[in-house]
RNA sequence: GGCCCGUUCGUCUAGGGGUUAGGACGCAAGAUUUUCAUUCUUGUAACACGGGUUCGAUUCCCGUACGGGCUACCA
């Protein structure tokens, strides 16, 4: 970031320089692989890319990295797109979003990579290799630490050991082969990481990575460099698992002669399991009973079914807020950030270096805070399908009342109907323990009279109801504590829930009176049997 | 094994050569609330270890330990 600002400052002095002017408007990409449900860590990577781009008026690009045909999973690409839409991180360019640097799906760019692979061979920075995967596996079996590198390549079958004419002939004959990066030993390769500073690798430690596979598809390494170059990517913000191979990437930029426009790198700390060791994995969801994916995912087999934050009942804003603070913090004491506040506050230098443990309790707290702050009409739209699924037929007006009454006591969206079931359906079970404590036969006429009074009382609003009922209670020489808990039982059946008069007002006159009558019937029978 | 990265309360983190090491989640207690919850108050709890450098290190350097990542014709 410091570096970035420095470069933008230079750019202001030299607007003719395409590199520095492009730095004024960064172009970043989120480049997931469609191999299954998008991991929540991927969503965070997308978020950081998005925040960085938006803060600087730059461009956020979605690129689909589907170069591994064996791991392709149908539906995964659509899942990624739906996730980005749900959390509100809309790409400016990319698969399904248009743009003039496409195509944005790597499988649609196959010929481009082949062309560049050939170019790199011609430039002397890569070579054809004819060793079969089986042959290499055999070497790995027999040699403890076998690596395809400057020490071993002379003993393998490739464009360096074969005569040029023979190698050409083999390629021309269509013999299966790969293209490998030619790594020259003896160089120190510096990666200037925006999060970690200068990271140095010795080229002699690096292997001759495969760039183009025998099936004609590129590996990540080649595709990534070619695409970032052609798409004019200025900053690569990705997970820490890519840090070791960044040395290879630097070599590729050099080999192509693109070092001048090489993007800057920022490697993000990983998200760790909530308990135990290791990074968060998809199995942890089932193991700990928590979502680790944004959306529900239904794979081919039952054990490939995962629930997500959305179907668990999280608000996307809460997920974004939670994720933003998992590995980054601006330094103040603010915890709640809207997306636009995040765009404002984000900075790469405040990204933490250490891995962040996935703290589900904190995620729940964020959701609770966002539900509390949401307006009732908005909540009503979220509750509507949940209520419908339960078979409750209700109006938007009533749902907004439910939202108002319940929003301070729920954590997840489905809690509105799960916890607040009594607002939607008649009381089926009364808390008889409380009933036994509070009820006595002498109350019957009093409740009958109260019911009659409420049957005609106007206006049927919470404050007015409270006034009339409390007056009635004192008229009868009773205390609120004698009657209110019983009214609560009448309306909800349970001792938990919103204020008694709020419930009555939300339920409306007819339902309130009906519930009082049913309660009286129950109390009478309970008394007869129970005491 | 090799290479690379990391390490402040249980968790997410702020901070930074001299601080009562701050906030948030969680947990505990209290207040408010006729219930539950919300809200408020208070409490709980941390600089991994060992050497340096320094008048002084949690902060800088080096080791160690521990954790993590990479080490495929996967990304």
């Amino acid at each position: 970031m410091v570096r970035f600002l420095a470069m933008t400052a230079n750019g202001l002095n030299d607007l003719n320089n395409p590199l520095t002017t492009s730095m004024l408007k960064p172009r970043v990409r989120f480049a997931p692989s469609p191999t299954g449900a998008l991991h929540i860590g991927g969503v965070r990577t997308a978020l950081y890319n998005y925040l960085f781009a938006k803060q600087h008026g730059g461009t956020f690009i979605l690129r689909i990295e589907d170069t591994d045909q064996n791991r392709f999973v149908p539906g995964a690409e659509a899942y990624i797109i739906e996730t980005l839409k749900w959390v509100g991180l809309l790409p400016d360019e990319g698969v399904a979003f248009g743009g003039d640097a496409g195509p944005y799906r790597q499988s649609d760019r196959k010929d481009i990579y082949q062309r560049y692979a050939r170019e790199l061979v011609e430039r002397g920075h890569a070579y054809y290799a004819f060793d079969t995967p089986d042959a290499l596996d055999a070497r790995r079996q027999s040699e403890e630490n076998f690596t395809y590198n400057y020490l071993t390549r002379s003993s393998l079958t490739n464009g360096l050991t074969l005569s040029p004419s023979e190698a050409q002939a083999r390629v021309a004959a269509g013999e299966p082969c790969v293209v490998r990066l030619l790594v020259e030993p003896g160089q120190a390769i510096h990666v200037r990481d925006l999060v970690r500073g200068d990271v140095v690798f010795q080229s002699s430690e690096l292997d001759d990575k495969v760039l183009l596979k025998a099936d004609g598809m590129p590996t990540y390494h080649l595709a990534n460099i070619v695409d970032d170059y052609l798409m004019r990517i200025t900053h690569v913000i990705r997970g820490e698992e890519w840090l070791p191979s960044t040395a290879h990437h630097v070599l590729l930029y050099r080999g192509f002669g693109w070092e001048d426009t090489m993007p800057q790198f920022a490697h993000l700390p990983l998200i760790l399991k909530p308990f135990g060791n290791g990074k968060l994995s998809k199995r942890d969801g089932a193991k700990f009973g928590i979502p680790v994916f944004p959306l529900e995912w239904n794979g081919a087999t039952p054990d490939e079914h995962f629930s997500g934050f959305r179907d668990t009942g999280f608000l996307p804003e809460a997920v974004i807020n939670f994720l933003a603070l998992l590995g980054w913090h601006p330094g103040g004491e603010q915890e709640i950030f809207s997306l636009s506040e995040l765009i404002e506050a984000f900075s790469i230098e405040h990204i933490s270096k250490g891995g962040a443990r996935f703290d589900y309790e904190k995620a729940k707290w964020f959701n609770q805070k966002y539900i509390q702050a949401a307006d009732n009409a908005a909540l009503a739209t979220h509750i509507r399908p949940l209520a419908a699924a339960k078979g409750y037929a209700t109006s938007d007006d009533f749902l907004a009342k439910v939202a108002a009454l319940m929003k301070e006591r729920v954590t997840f969206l489905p809690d509105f109907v799960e916890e607040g079931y009594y607002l939607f359906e008649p009381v089926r079970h009364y808390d008889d323990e409380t009933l036994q404590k509070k009820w006595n036969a002498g109350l019957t006429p009093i409740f009958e009279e109260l019911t009659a009074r409420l049957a005609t009382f106007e206006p049927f609003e919470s404050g007015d109801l409270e006034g009339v009922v409390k007056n009635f209670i004192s008229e009868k020489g009773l205390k609120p504590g004698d009657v209110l808990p019983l009214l609560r039982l009448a309306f909800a059946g349970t001792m938990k829930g919103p204020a008694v008069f709020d419930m009555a007002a939300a339920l409306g006159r007819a339902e309130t009176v009906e519930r009082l009558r049913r309660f009286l019937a129950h109390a009478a029978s309970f008394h007869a049997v129970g005491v």
Side-chain angles (χ1 to χ4, degrees):
Chain A
M1 190 57 200
V2 170
R3 201 174 349 269
F4 175 67
L5 288 173
M7 295 197 81
T8 57
N10 288 339
L12 292 171
N13 295 330
D14 183 12
L15 291 171
N16 295 324
N17 182 328
L19 169 62
T20 48
T21 48
S22 78
M23 287 312 209
L24 291 169
K25 298 269 184 215
R27 289 173 60 83
V28 299
R29 82 296 196 283
F30 173 53
S33 217
T35 55
L38 178 65
H39 188 278
I40 200 72
V43 180
R44 189 194 59 173
T45 301
L47 173 64
Y48 287 6
N49 273 283
Y50 178 90
L51 296 177
F52 182 75
K54 294 300 154 184
Q55 181 176 69
H56 298 286
T59 305
F60 173 58
I61 299 163
L62 172 64
R63 188 170 73 215
I64 297 294
E65 309 229 332
D66 58 346
T67 54
D68 186 348
Q69 297 170 331
N70 301 320
R71 293 213 305 157
F72 175 79
V73 174
E77 184 182 298
Y79 181 100
I80 290 163
I81 292 165
E82 194 181 350
T83 295
L84 294 179
K85 287 180 175 170
W86 181 59
V87 294
L89 305 179
L90 294 182
D92 302 297
E93 296 176 20
V95 172
F97 297 94
D100 59 11
Y104 296 93
R105 193 184 288 110
Q106 289 185 330
S107 58
D108 295 335
R109 302 169 65 81
K110 202 171 165 180
D111 55 322
I112 299 175
Y113 308 119
Q114 291 178 349
R115 206 160 63 233
Y116 280 102
R118 214 173 302 128
E119 183 186 328
L120 207 60
V121 172
E122 284 159 13
R123 283 169 161 263
H125 296 297
Y127 58 91
Y128 293 101
F130 303 93
D131 319 274
T132 64
D134 287 348
L136 294 175
D137 281 345
R139 280 279 303 252
R140 287 189 190 97
Q141 289 293 330
S142 57
E143 286 169 54
E144 191 64 34
N145 289 315
F146 173 77
T147 315
Y148 207 123
N149 65 10
Y150 74 104
L151 291 172
T152 59
R153 63 188 171 222
S154 56
S155 65
L156 290 150
T157 315
N158 54 49
L160 304 170
T161 56
L162 265 22
S163 71
S165 58
E166 158 119 42
Q168 272 313 111
R170 288 197 185 201
V171 174
E175 181 174 331
C177 68
V178 300
V179 173
R180 284 182 181 271
L181 177 67
L182 178 59
V183 179
E184 305 284 7
Q187 320 170 54
I189 301 158
H190 291 259
V191 174
R192 299 197 190 290
D193 187 273
L194 264 18
V195 173
R196 285 148 221 284
D198 190 28
V199 181
V200 189
F201 298 87
Q202 297 304 321
S203 66
S204 39
E205 305 281 354
L206 271 30
D207 64 332
D208 288 357
K209 283 241 178 299
V210 169
L211 301 177
L212 198 68
K213 299 182 265 188
D215 66 1
M217 284 295 242
T219 58
Y220 171 86
H221 308 292
L222 207 221
N224 162 60
I225 268 60
V226 167
D227 288 349
D228 284 350
Y229 171 74
L230 293 176
M231 294 178 186
R232 307 183 306 281
I233 299 301
T234 59
H235 300 260
V236 170
I237 303 170
R238 85 237 285 199
E240 193 185 4
E241 68 269 28
W242 295 109
L243 187 52
S245 56
T246 306
H248 288 103
H249 302 162
V250 170
L251 253 21
L252 278 166
Y253 281 107
R254 282 188 196 160
F256 280 117
W258 297 337
E259 209 174 353
D260 287 355
T261 55
M262 184 171 75
Q264 298 190 62
F265 296 99
H267 288 96
L268 272 20
L270 267 16
I271 297 179
L272 275 17
K273 292 181 192 298
F275 311 102
N277 298 130
K279 67 173 176 180
L280 186 68
S281 77
K282 60 182 180 181
R283 300 291 163 207
D284 293 325
K287 189 171 172 190
F288 301 113
I290 58 176
V292 299
F293 293 105
L295 316 176
E296 185 177 31
W297 171 262
N298 284 302
T301 59
D303 69 333
E304 285 290 311
H305 171 92
F306 303 109
S307 65
F309 276 84
R310 182 173 66 178
D311 50 287
T312 299
F314 278 86
L315 256 16
E317 297 83 357
V319 175
I320 286 296
N321 200 150
F322 165 64
L323 250 24
L325 263 26
L326 210 55
W328 168 82
H329 198 279
E333 291 184 352
Q334 187 176 350
E335 296 281 337
I336 302 294
F337 290 89
S338 67
L339 226 207
S340 56
E341 286 174 319
L342 288 172
I343 291 169
E344 179 80 16
F346 187 73
S347 60
I348 289 178
E349 70 265 34
H350 276 121
I351 293 174
S352 328
K353 296 181 177 71
R357 216 173 259 278
F358 184 82
D359 183 1
Y360 191 57
E361 291 304 316
K362 192 81 171 255
K364 280 158 65 176
W365 177 77
F366 276 114
N367 203 231
Q368 195 183 326
K369 290 304 245 189
Y370 274 86
I371 287 177
Q372 280 173 29
D375 75 61
N376 298 331
L379 288 173
T381 67
H382 285 113
I383 302 169
R384 190 185 303 126
L386 296 162
K390 288 261 179 190
Y392 302 139
T394 50
S395 67
D396 285 352
D397 184 51
F398 179 72
L399 289 175
K401 286 179 182 167
V402 170
L405 263 47
M406 295 301 294
K407 68 203 273 189
E408 308 256 282
R409 49 205 108 219
V410 301
T411 303
F412 304 117
L413 260 9
D415 291 347
F416 279 104
V417 291
E418 298 290 342
E419 303 282 320
Y421 59 91
Y422 41 77
L423 295 172
F424 297 95
E425 56 182 41
V427 175
R428 283 200 288 251
H429 175 78
Y430 292 98
D431 174 359
D432 286 337
E433 202 177 316
T434 304
L435 188 57
Q436 179 155 8
K437 250 181 268 175
K438 294 288 179 183
W439 184 258
N440 64 72
L443 256 17
T444 301
I446 291 171
F447 268 69
E448 278 168 351
E449 187 180 340
L450 179 62
T451 304
R453 207 176 283 195
L454 292 181
T456 57
F457 180 75
E458 288 280 0
F460 211 79
E461 298 298 335
S462 180
D464 304 285
L465 288 166
E466 179 167 0
V468 69
V469 172
K470 284 190 169 167
N471 280 341
F472 176 83
I473 289 170
S474 59
E475 265 173 43
K476 300 295 172 188
L478 295 167
K479 285 186 287 237
D482 298 328
V483 177
L484 266 22
L486 291 166
L487 285 178
R488 170 174 300 287
L489 244 34
F491 300 150
T494 166
M495 287 308 289
K496 289 185 182 181
V500 169
F501 301 106
D502 288 346
M503 283 197 284
L507 258 16
R509 183 196 312 283
E511 182 65 18
T512 297
V513 168
E514 174 62 20
R515 289 190 184 199
L516 278 167
R517 292 202 170 115
R518 292 169 69 112
F519 171 73
L520 271 172
H522 174 78
S525 67
F526 172 81
H527 192 67
V529 175
V531 184

